[in-house]
Amino acid sequence: MPVQEHRALATRRDVRSAGAPAAGFLRHYRQGRCIYDEGDEAHFFYEVRSGVVRMSSVLQDGRRLVDSFHTEGQLFGLEPARSHTLCAETLSDCNIVSYRWNGVEAKMSTDTMTSNWLFSYAMQTVTTARNHAILLGRKTATERVAAFLMEWVGRSPDPTVIVLAMSRQDIADYLGLTVETISRTFSKLERESLIQMTTSRLIEVRNRSALRRLSA
Amino acid sequence: MPVQEHRALATRRDVRSAGAPAAGFLRHYRQGRCIYDEGDEAHFFYEVRSGVVRMSSVLQDGRRLVDSFHTEGQLFGLEPARSHTLCAETLSDCNIVSYRWNGVEAKMSTDTMTSNWLFSYAMQTVTTARNHAILLGRKTATERVAAFLMEWVGRSPDPTVIVLAMSRQDIADYLGLTVETISRTFSKLERESLIQMTTSRLIEVRNRSALRRLSA
DNA sequence: CGATTGCTTGATACCTCTCAACCCAGGTGG
DNA sequence: CCACCTGGGTTGAGAGGTATCAAGCAATCG
């Protein structure tokens, strides 16, 4: 998929992030748009103001792994190399701030706040990636799904309800499983009264502590 | 395992790393020592001068995941939080430089080289962790083992010979498999003449390109 | 030597994948 | 309005890959 043209769809103005001393552009992206693709030159990095962004990479033969989902306040697209190693797409309508690398790089040498901001983001990313690796390397399907649900319970304003922005396929590719296994596991958790699916995207959490124990 | 006492076993002197403007202590660690454990306070981070260091974490029930192996020139132990989230141990005799966080943090605000050094290390760690996640989430046993071998071919001075510093159990926990599967896969690769095992720790690479293709 | 530890190999079990059918909601067009 | 189509989700049956359990082997170390 080609990179989304950098045309503002709604808002576009200078903004200053709460934690970010660097100036950036706020833009609106419609649902299902590609922000950048694997291999695109990494001129910008981004901050989610609202909505959900999916980062993923695809192997030659089509196997896909979803690296992470980003929500309000999270940075993404910071790359060690010249080009992006992942693809970023919007799962919902999003407001996203983009920061130009050049400007920030200059600031980093003089501005402690900026460099600390980016550094702590990078460290946080490392921690997230490690937890993801533990999940993928050593957890069962049920544990993975439970961990996934706990992750979104934590991000939800109401800890008893989860509104999923992503499809079963996205969840499968994030957890290193197949859609069928995701579906079966959800159904199993529902039979055991840990959750209830109002619709396939709307999950009610019935027993959070049991879910947490399962996610171990 | 408790943290290894910070007693110099052989050498101990002030050093300045090639890329590192920060001062540190060079120490020698014998094989099989714990440098720090999960939960220890993260006063230091480290740079490998020689030898191999294994980073791992363990779940409650004993399942272990090896996060990474570090060799000459690599940093480890940089943490976003106050305490270490992984355990670091030496797989061979090692020379390791430790840097005190306090000193470096102060430097980071004034010294561009230091902050760049740490930042680029962090970004590199992110990339490594992502590749590990792809391996764990979407690759078969054969592909994982092939990727593992390719990784060490790249680190080896002689690209036709790999001297493994780690046990089969370490490899298994790094690749999210069991020792038996590692052993069977090695044997299969040997039957197919892609490698030859002189001893269990000494692997001769017979067909590197085939190995690389397999690792995809 | 005998004991120990790590590695290899075999037989079987189990979990997840694969393939296939079906269901359901939403959208389209006659 | 309804028949049809479509795509995502669910469920079932069977296959397959890796884990588990168990035995045997090889190297190392008292």
Side-chain angles (χ1 to χ4, degrees):
Chain A
M1 215 179 293
V3 74
Q4 170 71 6
E5 61 274 62
H6 280 148
R7 175 166 46 85
L9 293 171
T11 330
R12 175 177 194 162
R13 55 196 176 83
D14 272 311
V15 294
R16 288 186 169 276
S17 167
F25 278 112
L26 175 63
R27 293 174 188 173
H28 182 76
Y29 290 81
R30 301 283 290 281
Q31 181 185 51
R33 300 305 166 90
C34 177
I35 300 166
Y36 59 79
D37 195 13
E38 267 180 275
D40 285 346
E41 286 198 27
H43 295 307
F44 300 90
F45 64 92
Y46 306 85
E47 181 185 353
V48 181
R49 284 299 169 82
S50 67
V52 183
V53 174
R54 181 192 66 214
M55 309 256 302
S56 58
S57 60
V58 182
L59 299 184
Q60 277 84 350
D61 61 2
R63 282 176 289 184
R64 188 182 71 151
L65 190 78
V66 171
D67 182 74
S68 52
F69 300 103
H70 295 274
T71 49
E72 189 178 342
Q74 298 189 305
L75 299 189
F76 66 92
L78 221 46
E79 299 284 351
R82 287 271 150 61
S83 56
H84 288 293
T85 55
L86 296 169
C87 163
E89 291 163 278
T90 58
L91 290 177
S92 63
D93 286 12
C94 287
N95 286 306
I96 294 172
V97 183
S98 56
Y99 299 99
R100 184 172 275 283
W101 248 126
N102 290 343
V104 174
E105 248 171 353
K107 272 217 181 301
M108 269 186 73
S109 51
T110 57
D111 183 345
T112 314
M113 268 184 71
T114 303
S115 62
N116 282 351
W117 179 54
L118 292 179
F119 187 69
S120 67
Y121 155 75
M123 297 303 330
Q124 196 179 312
T125 305
V126 171
T127 305
T128 306
R130 279 176 186 162
N131 287 333
H132 197 201
I134 292 172
L135 182 150
L136 294 170
R138 285 298 182 219
K139 291 190 179 173
T140 65
T142 306
E143 290 170 339
R144 294 182 203 196
V145 170
F148 174 80
L149 291 173
M150 287 307 297
E151 185 182 331
W152 288 95
V153 162
R155 298 195 195 190
S156 173
D158 177 351
T160 66
V161 175
I162 301 170
V163 181
L164 295 175
M166 71 294 289
S167 68
R168 295 290 188 266
Q169 186 64 61
D170 288 332
I171 300 174
D173 288 342
Y174 179 63
L175 299 180
L177 300 166
T178 60
V179 269
E180 294 94 332
T181 301
I182 301 297
S183 196
R184 277 187 248 273
T185 308
F186 273 149
S187 299
K188 194 186 75 171
L189 293 176
E190 188 169 41
R191 274 198 306 279
E192 295 166 351
S193 303
L194 298 191
I195 63 172
Q196 177 154 351
M197 292 186 276
T198 310
T199 72
S200 66
R201 298 278 186 120
L202 187 63
I203 313 276
E204 198 180 322
V205 177
R206 286 295 179 78
N207 191 336
R208 185 141 62 108
S209 61
L211 215 51
R212 180 159 28 75
R213 255 174 282 126
L214 267 186
S215 74
Chain B
M1 215 179 293
V3 72
Q4 170 72 7
E5 62 274 63
H6 279 149
R7 177 166 46 82
L9 294 169
T11 329
R12 175 177 195 163
R13 55 197 177 82
D14 272 310
V15 293
R16 289 186 167 274
S17 166
F25 278 110
L26 174 62
R27 292 175 189 172
H28 182 76
Y29 290 80
R30 302 281 291 278
Q31 180 184 52
R33 300 304 166 90
C34 176
I35 300 165
Y36 59 80
D37 195 12
E38 268 180 276
D40 285 347
E41 288 199 28
H43 296 306
F44 300 90
F45 64 91
Y46 306 85
E47 180 184 354
V48 181
R49 284 300 171 79
S50 66
V52 183
V53 173
R54 180 192 67 213
M55 310 257 300
S56 58
S57 59
V58 182
L59 299 185
Q60 276 83 349
D61 62 0
R63 282 176 288 182
R64 187 181 70 152
L65 190 79
V66 170
D67 182 75
S68 51
F69 300 103
H70 295 275
T71 49
E72 188 178 342
Q74 296 187 306
L75 299 189
F76 66 92
L78 221 47
E79 299 283 348
R82 286 272 150 58
S83 56
H84 288 293
T85 55
L86 295 169
C87 162
E89 292 163 278
T90 57
L91 290 178
S92 62
D93 284 13
C94 287
N95 286 304
I96 294 172
V97 181
S98 56
Y99 298 98
R100 184 172 275 282
W101 246 126
N102 291 343
V104 173
E105 247 170 355
K107 271 216 183 303
M108 270 185 74
S109 50
T110 57
D111 184 345
T112 313
M113 266 184 73
T114 303
S115 62
N116 282 350
W117 179 54
L118 292 180
F119 188 69
S120 67
Y121 154 76
M123 297 303 330
Q124 195 180 313
T125 305
V126 171
T127 304
T128 306
R130 279 178 185 158
N131 287 333
H132 197 201
I134 291 173
L135 182 149
L136 294 170
R138 285 299 183 218
K139 291 188 178 174
T140 65
T142 306
E143 290 170 339
R144 295 182 202 196
V145 170
F148 173 81
L149 290 173
M150 286 308 297
E151 186 183 331
W152 287 96
V153 161
R155 298 195 194 190
S156 173
D158 177 350
T160 66
V161 175
I162 302 171
V163 181
L164 295 175
M166 72 293 290
S167 69
R168 293 292 188 264
Q169 187 63 61
D170 288 332
I171 300 174
D173 289 341
Y174 179 64
L175 299 179
L177 299 166
T178 60
V179 268
E180 293 94 332
T181 300
I182 300 298
S183 195
R184 277 186 248 274
T185 307
F186 273 148
S187 298
K188 194 186 75 170
L189 292 177
E190 188 169 39
R191 274 198 306 278
E192 296 166 349
S193 303
L194 298 192
I195 63 171
Q196 175 153 353
M197 293 186 276
T198 309
T199 73
S200 66
R201 299 277 186 121
L202 187 62
I203 313 276
E204 198 180 325
V205 177
R206 285 295 179 79
N207 191 335
R208 183 142 62 110
S209 59
L211 215 51
R212 178 158 30 74
R213 256 175 280 126
L214 266 187
S215 74

